[in-house]
Amino acid sequence: MKYKRIIHISSIIFVGILLIMWEYAVYSKKLSAVLLPPPSEIFEVLKRQFILGTLLRHIKASFTRVMLGYFFGSLSGIVLGFVLYAFPKLSAFVQFPLGLIRPIPSMALFPIFILWLGIGEISKIVVIAFVAFWPVFLNTEEGVRQTDKNLVELSQVLKKKRIKKITSIIIPSSIPYIFSGLRLGISRAWGGVVVAEMLAASSGIGFLIEYSREMSQSAVMFMSVIVIAVIGFGIDVILKFSQKKICFWSKEL
């Protein structure tokens, strides 16, 4: 435990040293402040945007979109993963169309979603749900496949009903995989919202990145990226903590 704590502290110190070196490199004119603004300038922009309330407004807009899309995408991925297990013939039937759809990038689909659903919130939430769906679905599917075959055979010998087998054996063994998918899904969801907001939005972190690029405000761009990183990291920490509490039997956590 102490060993892990030392590593965590060392990683924080390492990041601090990188920030100091970054600040010094810009201050000594070895790096361009236009292309790579110093951390002190980024912090000042962050503080100013926070005081004015501008940053909070954009964070609220993006966070709401992410959470809605993430919820629907993750829920769909989990449900479909178990449904395909329960119905093997359906699983075999949908493998080909799912395989065709999965590689399509969200940036390619977003204009189609706008065409179908309009430029409002629904199209943004749908594209976020789309990108969050795949890691959750694939990990759920893999978790189901990795279920101990001996336990499944035992339930069949005992003539347990399918729903009982799923709730008492399949779901518990799949939960660690589902959490892995959820952690991947939240990072994909933030990527999806940035794409959606950069292309068609008047608020949100993605919009702020695109607007600051057009205005050549590099410090605001970097601030926006850092805000996404911090929020995404915070959500991942919460998911990882929840995973440890729920999957207490797993030795790998």
Side-chain angles (χ1 to χ4, degrees), residues 24-85:
Y24 174 76
V26 178
Y27 179 77
S28 60
K29 308 296 184 182
K30 293 180 180 178
L31 292 175
S32 171
V34 176
L35 299 178
L36 195 64
S40 58
E41 183 181 347
I42 297 172
F43 178 75
E44 285 299 319
V45 171
L46 175 65
K47 185 170 68 173
R48 183 168 64 251
Q49 295 265 356
F50 184 81
I51 292 172
L52 293 173
T54 306
L55 181 60
L56 289 178
R57 178 171 61 86
H58 289 299
I59 290 176
K60 182 181 178 181
S62 293
F63 189 79
T64 302
R65 291 165 183 151
V66 166
M67 288 298 103
L68 286 172
Y70 178 63
F71 171 78
F72 289 114
S74 300
L75 182 62
S76 301
I78 294 171
V79 170
L80 185 61
F82 285 111
V83 167
L84 295 186
Y85 167 78

Side-chain angles (χ1 to χ4, degrees), residues 182-232:
L182 290 173
R183 292 177 63 190
L184 288 171
I186 192 62
S187 62
R188 298 286 182 85
W190 276 105
V193 78
V194 169
V195 169
E197 291 173 348
M198 289 178 72
L199 294 177
S202 58
S203 63
I205 301 297
F207 164 78
L208 191 59
I209 292 173
E210 180 63 16
Y211 179 79
S212 59
R213 183 193 67 81
E214 293 176 353
M215 297 293 106
S216 300
Q217 298 173 346
S218 56
V220 178
M221 288 177 61
F222 276 87
M223 177 207 69
S224 304
V225 172
I226 291 171
V227 166
I228 292 174
V230 171
I231 295 175

Side-chain angles (χ1 to χ4, degrees), residues 117-236:
L117 304 171
I119 204 170
E121 294 298 309
I122 296 178
S123 59
K124 298 178 184 63
I125 293 171
V126 169
V127 76
I128 296 166
F130 176 82
V131 297
F133 166 82
W134 292 107
V136 179
F137 166 66
L138 293 173
N139 276 272
T140 301
E141 194 177 40
E142 183 64 23
V144 170
R145 289 177 179 173
Q146 294 299 326
T147 303
D148 192 334
K149 299 297 186 296
N150 294 326
L151 292 176
V152 175
E153 290 174 1
L154 180 60
S155 69
Q156 292 172 346
V157 171
L158 296 175
K159 296 182 178 180
K160 296 288 186 181
K161 293 182 179 180
R162 180 178 290 181
I163 187 66
K164 183 68 176 179
K165 182 171 64 176
I166 291 175
T167 56
S168 61
I169 299 175
I170 307 299
I171 291 179
S173 66
S174 303
I175 287 178
Y177 290 88
I178 293 173
F179 267 104
S180 297
L182 290 173
R183 292 177 63 190
L184 288 171
I186 192 62
S187 62
R188 298 286 182 85
W190 276 105
V193 78
V194 169
V195 169
E197 291 173 348
M198 289 178 72
L199 294 177
S202 58
S203 63
I205 301 297
F207 164 78
L208 191 59
I209 292 173
E210 180 63 16
Y211 179 79
S212 59
R213 183 193 67 81
E214 293 176 353
M215 297 293 106
S216 300
Q217 298 173 346
S218 56
V220 178
M221 288 177 61
F222 276 87
M223 177 207 69
S224 304
V225 172
I226 291 171
V227 166
I228 292 174
V230 171
I231 295 175
F233 177 77
I235 296 173
D236 184 69

